[in-house]
Amino acid sequence: MPGRVRARGIYGLFSVAGVLSFQGGRLHWTVDGVTESGRYDQSQTADGARFSADYVTRDNERLQWSGYVRNGRLRDVTAIWTRARGDFVHDLLLPRRLTLDFTPDRQRSSR
């Protein structure tokens, strides 16, 4: 599902467009043609399903996604991004760990 991810707090001045999808038991996050993915877990809730994924990217960064699917729509989707050191620009501007919120495009106006 296309949408935007934005960091919480002062780091959230800008957002990044990307696509979040679930295929073959894996959560996929694609930005600018680059896809990172990891296995996800799902559990039923009273009004839908909760999902979570915790994986290390090929750049040795950790992503911990979580959220809900209710009535076929994504809700309360967050990712905790623990960055690897070594990217000068990100190291200069961002903390090592950021919490990101994902908002699907078609749901942006309903929040």
Side-chain angles (χ1 to χ4, degrees), residues 4 11-12 15 17 20 44 52 60 69 71 73 83 86 89 92 96 101-102 109 111:
R4 299 195 73 78
Y11 302 104
S15 65
L20 185 66
Q44 292 304 118
S52 62
N60 205 32
V69 179
N71 299 320
R73 301 179 87 185
R83 299 182 320 93
V89 173
L92 185 64
R96 182 153 155 70
D101 293 312
F102 175 79
S109 61
R111 285 199 172 210

Side-chain angles (χ1 to χ4, degrees), residues 44-81:
Q44 292 304 118
T45 64
D47 58 351
R50 180 182 182 342
F51 69 88
S52 62
D54 185 347
Y55 60 90
V56 176
T57 71
R58 63 183 139 225
D59 295 331
N60 205 32
E61 297 183 319
R62 184 176 182 192
L63 282 165
Q64 298 166 278
W65 288 92
S66 64
Y68 296 90
V69 179
R70 292 186 183 130
N71 299 320
R73 301 179 87 185
L74 291 173
R75 301 276 187 218
D76 303 322
V77 178
T78 62
I80 298 174
W81 175 29

Side-chain angles (χ1 to χ4, degrees), residues 33-45:
V34 176
T35 300
E36 298 288 354
S37 67
R39 189 180 65 76
Y40 73 93
D41 295 312
Q42 181 175 316
S43 59
Q44 292 304 118
T45 64

